[in-house]
Amino acid sequence: MSMLLEVEAADVHYGELKALHGIDLRIAEGETLAVIGANGAGKSTLLKTIAGVLRPSSGAVRFAGEDVSGLGPNRRVAQGIALTPEGRRIFGSMTVEENLLVGAHTRRPGPWSLAAVYEAFPILAELQDRRGGVLSGGQQQATAIARALMSNPRLLLLDEVSLGLAPVVIADIYAALPRIAEMGTTVLIVEQDLSQVLRAADRVQCLLEGRTVLEAPAAEVTREQVAAAYFGLDREAS
Amino acid sequence: MNDTRTVEPVGLHVRRNSPTSRIAALGFLAAVLVLALVVPYAVSLGTLINLVGLFTLIILGTTWNLLAGYGGLISIGQQGFIGAGGYACVYLANETGMNPFAGLLLAALVCAALAYPTSFLLFRLVGGYFAIGTWVVAEVFRLVTSQLSPLGGGSGMTLTAYRGVDQPTRVGQVYWVALAMAVVVVLATWLLMRSRWGLGLTALRDDDVAAAGLGVAVRRSQRIVYVAASAGAGLAGALIAINGLGVTPGSIFSVSYTASMIFIVVIGGIGSIEGPIIGAVVFYVLQQQLQDQGVWYLIVLGVVAIVAVLAAPRGLWGLISRNGRVEFFPVGHRAETR
Amino acid sequence: MAWVNAVVQGLLLGGSYALLACGLSLMFGVMRLVNLAHGALAVAAAYVAMSVVDGTGVPAFLSLLVVVPLFAVAGYALQRGLFNRALGFGELSPLLVSFGLAVIVSNGLQQVYSSDSRSIGIGELATASIRLGGDLSIGVFSLITLAVGVVVIAGVQLFLARTRTGRAMRATRDDGEAARLMGIDDGHLYAVATAIALGTVALAGVFLGMSTQFTPGYGDLVLIFAFEAVIIGGLGSLWGTLLGGLVLGVAQTVGAQVDPAYGVLAGHLVFLAVLLLKPSGLLPKVVPA
C-alpha cells in the first residue's frame, strides 16, 4: 500500500512554545488512523499542521509524495486534504444544504455529492433547510463532516468529533465512518475519548506532550497498553 | 521525598518614571517657558496668530487620540463640537459681555452637555457606522445652527468683545490662553491615562470583551472619553472663534478639521501622548509651507496617512520611541530587578 | 396633492439613494469594512463618465460601458492592494485607510476638474415625464433610476444567495478561518466583493451625474445619504437598503415641501429617529448564532 500522507520529523511552535517534537506519522491510502492523547498532547496541533493552518518550523508534510509544507489550507483542499475542525465551525447564517454546497467549493471530482452525503447521514436530509445556527451539537457535527466530504478529499481529517456530545449521538456519528472508508476515503481521526475510536480505526498512534509514545495496529494493542501510553505511566517518575 | 531546592526571592522594583522621562519633563517645561516668555517678543503678530492654530491642533489631536487611540472610537464628526464650542463662546461673550476666556470654559461645558445625550444615540452604532453617525450629528448641528437667526443664520457671528482693544494686546492674550489650554489638555490627558481608570481604558482598547470580564465598565468609559473629547473639541472651537474674531457655519463646522485630526494622530502616533504633539507640529509646518500649492498638500497627506497606517502603525513617535520603549510622558509601570 | 407629489418624487429619489447605498452595504456585509471613500468614488465615476462623453462624443449611457468595468477592476485592485492589507491591522486601520483614500480622491478631482459644478447631459431624457393624472407627473429618468436600483439590488441579492461565489462570501463572513478550510481564498473573494461594490457605485455615480449638478465635494453628501439608507433599512439586508433609500428619499422631499431649506435636515432627523426608536433598522437581518 502506498503512503498517502507522511509527516517527517515535524517540529511545530506556538510562538516560543514547542508543541510538537519531531513527530513522524504515516498513513497509507484507504487506512483509518486514530491519533489519541490527553488534552494538550498535541493532537489538534498535528492535525492543523497537516491541514495547513499551522506550518512546521522544521520537518516536512508530504502528501501523495509531494511536499505540501508551504501550502496554505485553501490550497491543500484542492490537493485533497479536508479538515473537520474542532468545534465544528458551521456557517451559522446558512442552511445545512448551503453549508454542504460551500464544502464543494473546490469542485473536486469524486463519489461524494449531495445525494451520497444524505445517504451516509440520513439526519441531514431531513435538516436540509435548517439554519446552521439552530442545529444541535450532534447535527452540527454531522454537517461538518459531510461538508468536508463534499470536497471529495483523499484524506479526511476529523478533529475531536465527539467533543461535547452525548454517547448516543457519538455512536451515530461513528456509524457513518465505515461508509466513508468504503468510498475509499483515507481517514485520520483525532480523539480524546477512546470508547469508539479504537473500534473504528485500523491503526492507532498515541501522543504525549508533543511526542509519539505508541504506534501500532488497533487490533494488536490492549487497553492497558493504550492507557499506559495515554497517561505516560511507563515513564520514569521525576 | 523532600525537595531541598529553595526559591530565591527576586528583588523587584516597580517604577513609573525613568531618567528619560525626567529629562523630557524638563524639556517640556523649557519649551513651554520659551513659548510663553520668549517667542511673543521675537516674532510678528501674524506668526503669533498662526501659532494659536498650532496650539488648537495640539488640543484637537490630543482629544481625537483620546477617542480613537485610547477609547477605540473613530469619530469623523468632532467638527460638530468645534462649531458648537465656537458658537457658544461667541454667543455668550456677545450677549452677556463676559470675558471671552470665561466663555471659552463655558463653551467646553456646553459641548460636554451636548455630547452626553448624543452618545446614547451614537453608541447604537459600531465601527465605521459609528464614524459616519458622528458626521451626521455634526451636519445636524451645522444645519440647525445656520437656520437659527439669533445665531446669525448663514452668515454667522462676529465677536464684539475686542472692539476698542488694540491688536498686540488682543493677540497676546489669545496666544497665552491658547498655549495654556494646550498645556492643560495635554497634562490632563496624561494624568488621566496614568491613572487606574486610564489603565482600564487601555485594556478596553486592546480587547473590550476581556476588559469587561475584568470589571472595566466598557460603555461608561467610552462615554466619558466621548464627552471629554467633545469638550476638548469645543474648547478648541472656542479658541478658533476668538482667534478669528467670529464664526461662520461653513468654516467652523468644516469636515477638514476631522481630516487634520486624523492626519495628526495617524502620522504622529496613535495611542500615545507624545504622538499627537509631534503630528500637530509636522502638520502645522507642512500646512504653512504648502498652503499656496492648492490642494496638493492634502493629497500628499492622504498618501502619507495611508502609508503610515500600513507601514508605521504607531506613527512617527512609534518609530522614534521604538514602539513605546521610550516614554516622555510615562503612563506605564516598569518592573526591574535591583 | 402637493404632498402626494412630494411622496412620489421621494420614492423616485430613494431609488437613486438605494443604488448608491448598495455597494456600501455589500462591502460591510461581506467583510465588515465601511468604505469612507464610497461617496468620493461615486462622484469620481460621474466625472470620468463626463470626461468620456466630452472627449468622445458618445451618448451618456454608453459611457457606462467604460466606467463601470473600469471601476470594477479598480475595486478589485484596491481591495487586493490596500484594503486586504489594512484588514490585517485591526479594526481602525481600514477606516483610516479609506478616509485617506477619500481625501485623495476628492482633492484629486478638485485638482483635475476644479470646483465648478458639472453635469452629464442626457438631452431630452432630462425633462421627459409621464403624466399620471391630476397634477402628478413622474420624470422618466427618475423612473429609470428607480428601476435600475431595484434590479441591481435584486441582482446582487440573488448573486449572494444562489451562486457559488456568493455562498463563499457569506461563508467567509460567518467564519473566515473555516471558509479557508473549504478551499476558499478570502483575499480573492473580498476583492470580488469590492469589484462588485465599486461597479455598482460607478453605475450609481453616473446616474447621479445625469440627474443633478455635482462638484468634487459632493461625495460627502453621497456617503452620508448612502449610510443613512443602510442604517434606516437595517444592517445586513440589501432589501432593507432599498427600503431605507426610499424612506430617506421621501423624508427629504416631504421635508423640502415644508420648507426648501429643510430637505436634507429632515432626512437626518428621520435617520436619528430610526436610530433612537428602532436601532436595528426597518428590515433587520436575523443575526446568526
Side-chain angles (χ1 to χ4, degrees):
Chain A
M1 237 193 273
S2 56
M3 287 298 147
L4 183 61
L5 178 78
E6 292 168 286
V7 176
E8 273 179 25
D11 283 342
V12 178
H13 287 84
Y14 283 111
E16 302 272 331
L17 177 71
K18 197 173 195 181
L20 294 180
H21 301 77
I23 288 280
D24 286 315
L25 183 139
R26 264 170 286 281
I27 312 183
E29 185 115 42
E31 271 203 294
T32 298
L33 171 69
V35 174
I36 59 177
N39 227 352
K43 316 184 296 298
S44 270
T45 308
L46 178 58
L47 222 52
K48 285 182 187 159
T49 309
I50 297 172
V53 177
L54 295 170
R55 307 288 164 88
S57 33
S58 70
V61 177
R62 254 184 274 284
F63 185 71
E66 285 192 33
D67 189 339
V68 295
S69 320
L71 291 184
N74 49 353
R75 303 272 296 284
R76 296 202 197 184
V77 176
Q79 296 286 319
I81 303 177
L83 171 67
T84 302
E86 201 182 338
R88 292 128 218 167
R89 312 285 286 267
I90 294 294
F91 302 119
S93 75
M94 300 168 74
T95 64
V96 166
E97 180 147 317
E98 289 182 313
N99 266 274
L100 298 178
L101 289 172
V102 172
H105 184 87
T106 49
R107 294 187 284 216
R108 268 175 60 91
W112 292 106
S113 61
L114 275 181
V117 145
Y118 284 143
E119 210 201 304
F121 296 94
I123 185 75
L124 293 182
E126 289 168 36
L127 296 169
Q128 270 179 45
D129 294 320
R130 200 75 65 87
R131 258 192 342 106
V134 304
L135 297 176
S136 73
Q139 293 165 343
Q140 286 192 356
Q141 190 61 75
T143 309
I145 298 177
R147 186 180 61 177
L149 286 171
M150 289 290 289
S151 69
N152 281 303
R154 288 175 73 180
L155 173 64
L156 177 67
L157 307 170
L158 297 175
D159 197 343
E160 306 228 32
V161 298
S162 64
L163 212 57
L165 299 180
V168 151
V169 179
I170 298 173
D172 279 341
I173 305 271
Y174 273 89
L177 278 191
R179 183 99 189 88
I180 296 172
E182 247 173 67
M183 294 281 233
T185 312
T186 310
V187 180
L188 197 173
I189 179 158
V190 154
E191 269 296 4
Q192 265 187 68
D193 178 344
L194 302 183
S195 50
Q196 295 276 1
V197 74
L198 289 177
R199 260 176 289 163
D202 298 320
R203 275 193 309 122
V204 62
Q205 185 162 342
C206 184
L207 299 186
L208 181 67
E209 290 173 12
R211 292 185 173 81
T212 305
V213 291
L214 176 69
E215 195 261 303
E220 289 174 20
V221 286
T222 65
R223 292 225 103 197
E224 291 75 29
Q225 283 174 309
V226 172
Y230 194 105
F231 294 108
L233 295 177
D234 47 359
R235 298 209 310 180
E236 296 293 326
S238 44
Chain B
M1 232 91 54
N2 277 331
D3 195 338
T4 53
R5 289 173 298 163
T6 52
V7 176
E8 218 64 61
V10 178
L12 266 188
H13 172 59
V14 177
R15 61 168 175 79
R16 304 213 65 178
N17 305 323
S18 65
T20 317
S21 74
R22 286 189 202 107
I23 296 172
L26 286 173
F28 182 71
L29 189 60
V32 171
L33 285 174
V34 165
L35 281 170
L37 302 175
V38 177
V39 170
Y41 305 101
V43 300
S44 69
L45 286 179
T47 310
L48 288 181
I49 295 177
N50 271 346
L51 281 171
V52 170
L54 171 62
F55 301 150
T56 52
L57 285 175
I58 290 177
I59 295 176
L60 288 174
T62 302
T63 53
W64 198 86
N65 177 52
L66 185 65
L67 206 51
Y70 289 116
L73 299 166
I74 299 252
S75 162
I76 54 177
Q78 289 308 87
Q79 65 271 16
F81 294 105
I82 296 175
Y87 265 91
C89 179
V90 174
Y91 183 78
L92 288 170
N94 282 359
E95 293 299 307
T96 66
M98 68 163 69
N99 188 316
F101 300 123
L104 193 153
L105 295 171
L106 279 177
L109 285 173
V110 166
C111 287
L114 272 175
Y116 186 74
T118 308
S119 69
F120 285 97
L121 211 56
L122 282 176
F123 284 177
R124 291 164 190 244
L125 300 166
V126 281
Y129 285 143
F130 169 83
I132 307 181
T134 60
W135 196 0
V136 173
V137 166
E139 282 294 289
V140 171
F141 285 2
R142 178 177 69 84
L143 288 170
V144 167
T145 307
S146 48
Q147 293 296 319
L148 295 175
S149 32
L151 293 179
S155 9
M157 296 189 288
T158 38
L159 184 67
T160 54
Y162 283 114
R163 298 224 174 111
V165 178
D166 65 290
Q167 209 197 19
T169 313
R170 184 194 95 227
V171 170
Q173 279 186 359
V174 176
Y175 175 87
W176 277 311
V177 170
L179 174 62
M181 289 291 104
V183 169
V184 164
V185 167
V186 169
L187 287 180
T189 309
W190 175 50
L191 288 173
L192 200 64
M193 294 319 299
R194 249 174 99 96
S195 71
R196 207 165 136 231
W197 180 82
L199 190 63
L201 194 63
T202 312
L204 190 164
R205 169 194 71 189
D206 289 340
D207 188 333
D208 58 351
V209 174
L214 288 171
V216 175
V218 175
R219 245 319 166 252
R220 195 158 52 97
S221 301
Q222 287 179 326
R223 187 161 324 217
I224 293 175
V225 166
Y226 182 73
V227 169
S230 304
L235 192 71
L239 273 174
I240 293 169
I242 296 174
N243 199 34
L245 291 175
V247 282
T248 59
S251 69
I252 198 86
F253 285 107
S254 167
V255 73
S256 61
Y257 284 118
T258 279
S260 351
M261 279 183 268
I262 293 185
F263 293 143
I264 287 172
V265 173
V266 166
I267 293 173
I270 199 168
S272 65
I273 309 283
E274 303 84 344
I277 301 177
I278 295 179
V281 170
V282 169
F283 181 82
Y284 173 73
V285 167
L286 276 175
Q287 197 180 37
Q288 296 299 307
Q289 295 299 317
L290 300 176
Q291 228 161 22
D292 332 308
Q293 313 270 16
V295 294
W296 274 115
Y297 91 99
L298 281 173
I299 298 178
V300 167
L301 276 174
V303 173
V304 173
I306 291 180
V307 168
V309 170
L310 297 178
R314 298 243 153 242
L316 280 174
W317 178 244
L319 294 175
I320 296 174
S321 73
R322 281 166 293 135
N323 280 323
R325 250 158 277 185
V326 177
E327 280 180 312
F328 281 2
F329 287 90
V331 297
H333 298 71
R334 273 171 220 281
E336 296 172 338
T337 54
R338 275 215 190 273
Chain C
M1 201 51 204
W3 295 99
V4 175
N5 189 42
V7 170
V8 170
Q9 299 308 322
L11 290 173
L12 294 172
L13 180 63
S16 167
Y17 290 158
L19 187 55
L20 282 169
C22 180
L24 191 70
S25 184
L26 178 65
M27 280 183 79
F28 184 75
V30 174
M31 53 193 122
R32 301 202 81 84
L33 193 153
V34 176
N35 183 6
L36 295 177
H38 184 86
L41 289 167
V43 173
Y47 273 105
V48 172
M50 186 196 74
S51 292
V52 167
V53 168
D54 287 347
T56 63
V58 300
F61 281 95
L62 280 190
S63 69
L64 288 170
L65 292 176
V66 171
V67 178
V68 172
L70 181 69
F71 271 70
V73 168
Y76 189 90
L78 195 66
Q79 183 67 39
R80 274 231 108 123
L82 206 61
F83 285 142
N84 273 350
R85 214 160 298 198
L87 282 170
F89 275 91
E91 279 191 13
L92 303 186
S93 303
L95 268 182
L96 296 173
V97 167
S98 67
F99 186 83
L101 185 65
V103 168
I104 293 173
V105 170
S106 49
N107 284 292
L109 289 174
Q110 172 106 336
Q111 203 60 13
V112 175
Y113 293 103
S114 88
S115 20
D116 302 333
S117 62
R118 317 290 289 270
S119 71
I120 304 173
I122 46 173
E124 299 272 310
L125 203 52
T127 46
S129 61
I130 307 174
R131 267 343 256 306
L132 277 190
D135 287 328
L136 207 54
S137 66
I138 300 183
V140 171
F141 184 72
S142 309
L143 196 58
I144 295 177
T145 308
L146 176 60
V148 169
V150 172
V151 166
V152 166
I153 287 192
V156 176
Q157 183 66 31
L158 225 72
F159 169 81
L160 283 176
R162 297 286 172 83
T163 66
R164 171 175 166 267
T165 312
R167 263 194 301 269
M169 281 184 194
R170 287 187 290 137
T172 308
R173 173 195 60 198
D174 277 356
D175 189 334
E177 223 187 273
R180 246 170 279 147
L181 293 175
M182 311 283 113
I184 292 172
D185 180 351
D186 48 358
H188 166 69
L189 214 64
Y190 288 160
V192 171
T194 306
I196 297 174
L198 254 63
T200 62
V201 156
L203 183 63
V206 174
F207 268 80
L208 186 74
M210 293 195 268
S211 71
T212 182
Q213 306 257 358
F214 54 92
T215 62
Y218 206 68
D220 294 352
L221 274 181
V222 169
L223 178 66
I224 289 184
F225 294 158
F227 155 72
E228 289 179 332
V230 171
I231 298 293
I232 292 174
L235 284 180
S237 165
L238 279 171
W239 292 121
T241 302
L242 177 60
L243 182 63
L246 294 174
V247 168
L248 181 66
V250 170
Q252 289 187 350
T253 48
V254 168
Q257 191 67 21
V258 171
D259 183 323
Y262 288 166
V264 170
L265 184 59
H268 291 335
L269 293 177
V270 166
F271 159 78
L272 290 175
V274 169
L275 200 57
L276 185 65
L277 301 169
K278 198 169 194 295
S280 49
L282 298 176
L283 285 181
K285 200 61 175 258
V286 173
V287 179

